[in-house]
Each structure stands twice: as C-alpha cells, then as structure tokens.
C-alpha cells in the first residue's frame, strides 16, 4: 500500500523537534506540519510575535519560522487533535539518563517515549506511521510497537475504523549550532524499518530536498544502534585529542600542530579534533552511558570498560581546568574575581545541558571566588538553574562565593583577576586584549580552553596566558 502523507505531527518541540520540523515545513509546502508539546511555555515561545524570543537559538532558524509559521507549520499543545489528524507522527521527546531505579546513571529514561506512544495509541486514526526521532536504546521500537498494538485490543479508533501502525526509526544527526545546515544538507538520512511502503513514505518526504542516494535504509535495530555508535565514535575522538592536549602541555608540543599533522592523514581526517574543556551537550554522555549499559547487559564487560574510559577522560579534562586556574592564581582564588566567557556547551546555541562551564564554575565557586559570567545567548535564569545559585546584584568584597551576569566582555573583565574562555563564540576571537587588560586587576591571566584566542595579541597586551594543549608559550 502506498502511503500518501499529507499531515505530520511531531511530539516534542525541543532542540530536535523544532528545527527538524521547521526544515521539513520549508521544503515540503504541501505538507501540514504540527509540532506539539506538553510544555505550554515552550509552545508560547515558539508562537511569540517577537522572533527573538523563540525558545531555541540556532542560526537560520528564525528566518524559517518567520516564513512558515502559520502557513504549513504550527506549534500547539493540542496533542490529541494533532495526533488524530496525522498520517505520520515523529516522536521527538527527551530521553535523559535515569537518575534512580534500575540502570540509574546509565540507562535512558523512556518515560516520555512511553507516554507519547500511549497518546498515539489512544488518539491515532487509520493507518499511521510512527517514527522514532529521539535517540533511543536499541530495541525501543519494540516497546513502542507493543504499546501501540496492545493498548487497544481490537485496534479500532474511536469511530470504529480499523487502525494499523508502522514503526520506523529515523534518528536525527543534527548538531546544535549548525542544525539548519545539517538538516538542509545532511551526510545521510537513516531509516530503519520493516515495512517497505512505510519506509518509502518517509523517504518521499526527504526526497523533496535530499538526493535519494543519501537515504540509507536498514532494519530497525541497526538504525537505532547506529545513532548511538555515531555519537560514541565522535565523543571518543574528542576524548582522544583531549588526553593528548594534556601531554602536549607537559612536553612542550602544541596540540594545534599535532592536530594538523595527524588530521592530514585522510584515514584520520581533520574534523572533530579540537581539544577543549570536555564535550558537553545532551547526547554524547547519555549515549555512551547507554552503550555501556547495553554492553553490560550482554556480559560484554571489556566493551563497556572501553567506553567508560571515554567518559572518564572527559570528566578528567573538565576537572583539570579549574585546578589549573587555582594553581596559576597562587593557589587561592577567594576574594578574587574570575570572568567566565561562554556558558553554552558549544558556540551558536543557548543550550547548557552537560556544559563543561557548569562543572568548572561550580568548582571555582567552591573556592569562594566571584564569577562574572558572560554568554551571548544563555539567559541569567538558566545559569541560576544550572549553578543552583541565585545571581548577586553586585559582587561584594567578602570571601563568599557569588556570581553575577555580565552584559559584555568588557563588563565582565572590570577588576577581574582572570578571564576563562569556555565556549568558542566567534566574538571571543576578536577581543581587544589591550583594552581588556586595562580593566583587569594585575597580575592578570587569560585561560583559553578552546584555543581560539589570538596569542600574539595577548602577548602584546601583557596579560599572562594559558592555552589548552600548548606546552610553553
Ligand atoms: C552531537 C552530534 O554531533 C550529532 O550528530 C548528534 O545528532 C547529537 O550529538 P551536539 O551535541 O549538538 O551534536 O554537538 P557537537 O558539535 O557534536 O559537540 C558536542 C560537544 O563536543 C560540544 O561540547 C563541543 O564543544 C565538543 N567538541 C566538538 C569538542 O570539544 N571538539 C571538537 O572537535 C568537536
Ligand atoms: P531534544 O534535545 O531531544 O529535542 P528537548 O528536551 O529539547 O530534547 O525537547 C523534548 C521536548 O519533548 C520537551 O519540550 C518536552 O516538553 C517534550 N515532551 C516530553 N514528553 C512529551 C509528551 N508526552 N507529549 C508532548 N511533548 C512531550
């Protein structure tokens, strides 16, 4: 049976659901795309008159929302109605790591997927393709199938019509900060499933703007596993280069030169070799933890230990940054002010999930210092939430841990003893260090955890300088 898809519903209006549906709506003007979420505040932001108040910052996103919202792209909390009208439903909800119970700290919490499947089971009509878009543990599709098939014993909708569900896995490989470009020009589209017509139905949507050659079809389990493994391999590369950054600092080698030398080998490639303060984001740690959980489940303890080390090196890399700062500032930072440049887990996003900045700031605050935090996209409210500490109106002169939000780099630098660059925002590459230096307390330090600061300009300004992976500067 050929599927004629006219109406799409996406459950979950987050970092994945929002941008992916926006790009589908833009490229498929004949499709109606409805994005639903239980979080009313988030939906209100997606519908805000002022496009600068969208809940997600992503270059190029605002322009697409301006163009499509209200035409064939709609955001609402009307889950029931939009599920009932849909020919194809994407499940794009969050799957955080479990914090308690069986598998705590490793397994994904599937409660949102479970409840989405139950809502679909309740409200869907006729033949419906159900697509897993969130990253999920292998064999989650089976759980979804079971819920869909068993929730309604005679499989009839409210009007008594026969219903049928076709479950597909279609993981999203977009990276935050480049989401729109990744969605418009993906390396590949992966569709896992059993029913060829359903697979073709979904492929037809993508073929509106992506070449058929880029569409890979597999069985359900390969598709689910491939997404976990792609993220695990990427994270492993970062842990590898980060481990070498420390070795460079000890030996006098330079990580950027090592990166160039090894990255020129086509077999290695030059992408994803930037050492930094440790990987963050909602995916890498969660997906590797999941992989560890699965490997342990099958008794593959050496496999799980191997991947555990990728996470351990990452935590070690983040932890060593605050230690270096304290050591360079004469082993005490109480009464001192440190400016934090960047709080998002990477540039071009307002997302702070698993951001190394959170751990580094908390560690520094433990030493009773004052922090002035500047990030062009992260809100002070989000930082308060992440640090579990209210911001102060003004930083006092006592030795209590405090933080305040700075509106500009210069504001952050006033009277500060050190500047710590944590996120690689473009504007940090062009800071006028001579001006900044004038505002700082002396001796002044810059700690560049992303290797983006122009060393020559800093040298001329007179500020002391530490950069990740640089032996001697
Ligand atoms: C990742 C995957 O790239 C994407 O395919 C998947 O769909 C979701 O997870 P994301 O987490 O959004 O995407 O961003 P990514 O660019 O992968 O960066 C993850 C973390 O690694 C960031 O903290 C980033 O700063 C860090 N990173 C990345 C490095 O430290 N060095 C690098 O060379 C690349
Ligand atoms: P991701 O990065 O995977 O997109 P987010 O946390 O940004 O994750 O977004 C997931 C969204 O899914 C959240 O806005 C959350 O409110 C929404 N969500 C979770 N469960 C449901 C549900 N049962 N129905 C509708 N929306 C849901």
């Amino acid at each position: 049976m050929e599927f004629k898809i006219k109406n799409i519903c996406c459950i979950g209006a987050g970092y994945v659901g929002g941008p992916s549906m926006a790009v589908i709506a833009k490229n498929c003007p004949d499709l109606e795309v409805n994005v639903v979420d239980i979080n009313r505040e988030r939906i209100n932001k997606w519908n805000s008159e002022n496009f600068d108040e969208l809940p997600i910052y992503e270059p190029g996103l605002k322009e697409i929302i301006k163009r499509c919202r209200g035409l064939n792209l709609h955001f609402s909390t009307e889950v029931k109605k939009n599920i009932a009208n849909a020919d194809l439903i994407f499940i794009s909800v969050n799957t955080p790591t479990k914090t308690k119970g069986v598998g705590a700290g490793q397994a994904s919490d599937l409660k949102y997927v479970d409840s989405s499947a139950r809502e679909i089971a309740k409200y869907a009509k006729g033949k419906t393709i159900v697509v897993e878009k969130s990253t999920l543990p292998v064999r989650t599709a089976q759980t979804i199938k079971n819920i869909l098939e068993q929730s309604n014993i005679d499989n009839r909708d409210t009007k008594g019509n026969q219903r049928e569900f076709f479950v597909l896995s279609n993981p999203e490989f977009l990276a935050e900060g480049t989401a729109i470009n990744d969605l418009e020009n993906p390396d590949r589209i992966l569709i896992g499933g059993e029913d060829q017509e359903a697979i073709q139905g979904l492929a037809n949507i993508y073929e509106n703007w992506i070449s058929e050659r880029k569409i890979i079809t597999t069985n359900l389990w390969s598709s689910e596993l491939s997404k976990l493994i792609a993220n695990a391999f990427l994270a492993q590369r970062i842990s590898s280069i980060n481990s070498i950054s420390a070795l460079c600092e000890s030996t006098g080698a330079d990580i950027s030169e090592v990166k160039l030398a090894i990255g020129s080998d086509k077999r290695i490639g030059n992408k994803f070799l930037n050492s930094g303060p440790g990987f963050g984001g909602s995916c890498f740690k969660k997906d590797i933890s999941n992989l560890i959980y699965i490997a342990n489940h099958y008794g593959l303890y050496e496999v799980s230990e191997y991947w555990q080390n990728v996470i351990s090196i990452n935590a070690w890399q983040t932890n060593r940054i605050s230690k270096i700062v304290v050591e360079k500032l004469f082993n005490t930072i109480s009464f001192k002010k440190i400016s934090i440049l960047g709080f998002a887990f990477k540039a071009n996003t307002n997302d702070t999930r698993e951001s190394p900045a959170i751990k580094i700031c908390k560690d520094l605050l433990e030493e009773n210092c004052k922090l002035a935090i500047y990030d062009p996209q992260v809100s002070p409210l989000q930082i308060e939430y992440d640090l579990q500490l209210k911001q102060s109106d003004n930083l006092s002169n006592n030795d209590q841990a405090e933080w305040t939000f700075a509106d500009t780099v210069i504001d952050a630098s006033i009277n500060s003893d050190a500047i710590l660059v944590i996120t690689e925002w473009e504007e940090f590459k062009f800071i006028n260090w001579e001006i900044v230096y004038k505002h700082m307390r002396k001796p002044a330090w810059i700690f560049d955890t992303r290797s983006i600061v122009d060393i020559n300009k800093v040298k001329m300004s007179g500020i002391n300088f530490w950069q990740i992976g640089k032996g001697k500067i």
Side-chain angles (χ1 to χ4, degrees):
M1 188 202 82
E2 201 189 325
F3 282 89
K4 291 249 177 307
I5 298 164
K6 289 194 167 350
N7 192 307
I8 291 182
C9 172
C10 173
I11 305 180
Y15 283 89
V16 174
S20 345
M21 294 308 119
V23 170
I24 290 184
K26 183 195 142 204
N27 289 295
C28 311
D30 296 336
L31 279 180
E32 273 298 305
V33 182
N34 290 290
V35 190
V36 296
D37 203 296
I38 41 176
N39 182 336
R40 184 172 293 277
E41 198 189 333
R42 206 167 210 184
I43 289 296
N44 288 344
K45 285 187 179 166
W46 280 111
N47 285 326
S48 61
E49 299 254 324
N50 180 351
F51 291 90
D52 287 326
E53 284 167 17
L54 297 178
I56 287 170
Y57 173 72
E58 196 60 68
L61 176 64
K62 186 165 78 172
E63 288 69 26
I64 303 182
I65 302 293
K66 266 186 188 167
R67 182 168 148 183
C68 301
R69 198 181 69 192
L71 285 176
N72 67 332
L73 176 65
H74 314 275
F75 295 90
S76 86
T77 50
E78 290 183 88
V79 177
K80 176 178 171 181
K81 181 183 107 186
N82 286 300
I83 287 180
N85 289 340
D87 308 305
L88 182 147
I89 300 170
F90 286 105
I91 300 181
S92 210
V93 298
N94 37 337
T95 50
T97 303
K98 280 181 84 172
T99 51
K100 53 185 186 176
V102 178
Q106 289 184 338
S108 282
D109 190 340
L110 296 178
K111 64 181 173 210
Y112 303 114
V113 174
D114 187 296
S115 58
S116 304
R118 282 172 204 276
E119 309 236 35
I120 298 172
K122 226 188 215 161
Y123 303 123
K125 292 186 177 153
K127 294 190 189 312
T128 312
I129 301 177
V130 177
V131 186
E132 302 173 334
K133 200 137 224 14
S134 325
T135 308
L136 296 164
V138 189
R139 303 202 78 86
T140 305
Q142 192 59 52
T143 309
I144 296 177
K145 274 185 184 179
N146 290 346
I147 294 173
L148 294 177
E149 281 160 15
Q150 292 170 25
S151 294
N152 190 336
I153 302 300
D154 63 359
N155 248 330
R156 289 185 185 274
D157 62 25
T158 42
K159 288 195 179 140
N161 299 320
Q162 185 68 40
R163 304 186 320 161
E164 218 177 326
F165 294 106
F166 303 86
V167 178
L168 302 178
S169 157
N170 171 221
E172 185 44 66
F173 294 98
L174 69 80
E176 287 175 32
T178 53
I180 301 303
N181 187 45
D182 296 342
L183 288 160
E184 294 274 14
N185 309 294
D187 288 343
R188 77 310 209 176
I189 294 291
L190 180 57
I191 305 178
E194 287 156 359
D195 185 281
Q196 286 312 310
E197 273 81 21
I199 291 175
Q200 194 52 52
L202 179 56
N204 288 344
I205 295 177
Y206 288 114
E207 283 170 25
N208 280 297
W209 77 99
I210 296 161
S211 155
E212 194 187 337
R213 279 181 298 110
K214 286 192 175 176
I215 299 178
I216 301 173
T217 56
T218 64
N219 74 31
L220 271 171
W221 326 123
S222 303
S223 171
E224 288 179 334
L225 187 62
S226 299
K227 167 70 190 193
L228 284 189
I229 304 307
N231 277 345
F233 268 56
L234 290 169
Q236 177 218 42
R237 253 173 104 82
I238 301 169
S239 277
S240 298
I241 199 77
N242 280 344
S243 71
I244 303 307
S245 71
L247 197 56
C248 287
E249 288 156 30
S250 303
T251 58
D254 179 334
I255 196 69
S256 53
E257 292 174 356
V258 173
K259 175 190 156 185
L260 179 70
I262 64 166
S264 318
D265 184 327
K266 283 203 193 70
R267 294 168 303 172
I268 297 174
N270 60 7
K271 302 230 168 73
F272 253 72
L273 282 181
N274 294 321
S275 66
F279 58 74
S282 69
C283 285
F284 284 174
K285 188 171 167 206
K286 181 183 81 177
D287 289 354
I288 299 178
S289 301
N290 228 299
L291 190 56
I292 292 167
Y293 185 69
I294 296 169
N296 277 332
H297 174 80
Y298 289 105
L300 300 167
Y301 304 114
E302 287 75 9
V303 175
S304 86
E305 199 180 330
Y306 174 77
W307 290 104
Q308 179 57 52
N309 282 327
V310 173
I311 296 186
S312 304
I313 284 285
N314 194 54
W316 172 80
Q317 179 79 347
T318 306
N319 289 340
R320 76 187 185 91
I321 303 294
S322 49
K323 289 193 185 129
I324 291 168
V325 174
V326 175
E327 188 196 303
K328 297 280 188 204
L329 297 185
F330 311 111
N331 290 310
T332 175
I333 54 170
S334 59
F335 296 108
K336 291 181 183 164
K337 177 179 167 188
I338 298 174
S339 317
I340 303 292
L341 301 191
F343 200 80
F345 81 94
K346 63 183 281 196
N348 296 319
T349 179
N350 60 344
D351 195 349
T352 61
R353 287 177 291 180
E354 299 291 337
S355 176
I358 301 173
K359 178 73 170 76
I360 293 170
C361 288
K362 279 186 171 170
D363 286 349
L364 293 172
L365 289 168
E366 275 293 299
E367 303 281 336
N368 287 345
C369 70
K370 318 276 170 201
L371 298 180
I373 305 178
Y374 168 72
D375 188 289
Q377 289 298 334
V378 178
S379 70
L381 268 179
Q382 183 63 47
I383 300 175
E384 281 189 347
Y385 174 82
D386 289 330
L387 296 181
Q388 297 285 293
L389 184 66
K390 284 219 158 295
Q391 75 159 317
S392 307
D393 296 335
N394 292 302
L395 297 177
S396 59
N397 292 324
N398 60 27
D399 73 342
Q400 263 171 22
E402 285 177 318
W403 76 274
T404 187
F405 189 77
D407 289 324
T408 61
V409 173
I410 296 291
D411 280 353
S413 68
I414 295 170
N415 291 330
S416 81
D417 297 87
I419 290 179
L420 184 46
V421 179
I422 304 187
T423 313
E424 75 285 19
W425 286 100
E426 192 67 10
E427 64 174 280
F428 301 156
K429 296 179 186 165
F430 305 104
I431 293 172
N432 185 329
W433 292 109
E434 283 190 37
I435 296 181
V436 167
Y437 183 57
K438 287 191 188 130
H439 289 288
M440 295 179 73
R441 227 160 62 122
K442 319 294 180 306
W445 274 91
I446 296 172
F447 297 90
D448 175 13
T449 70
R450 293 281 188 172
S451 283
I452 55 161
V453 170
D454 186 331
I455 301 183
N456 293 328
K457 290 206 175 119
V458 173
K459 270 188 185 161
M460 284 187 329
S461 73
I463 314 183
N464 296 299
F465 192 48
W466 176 91
Q467 196 169 45
I468 200 127
K470 290 272 186 308
K472 285 192 185 68
I473 298 173

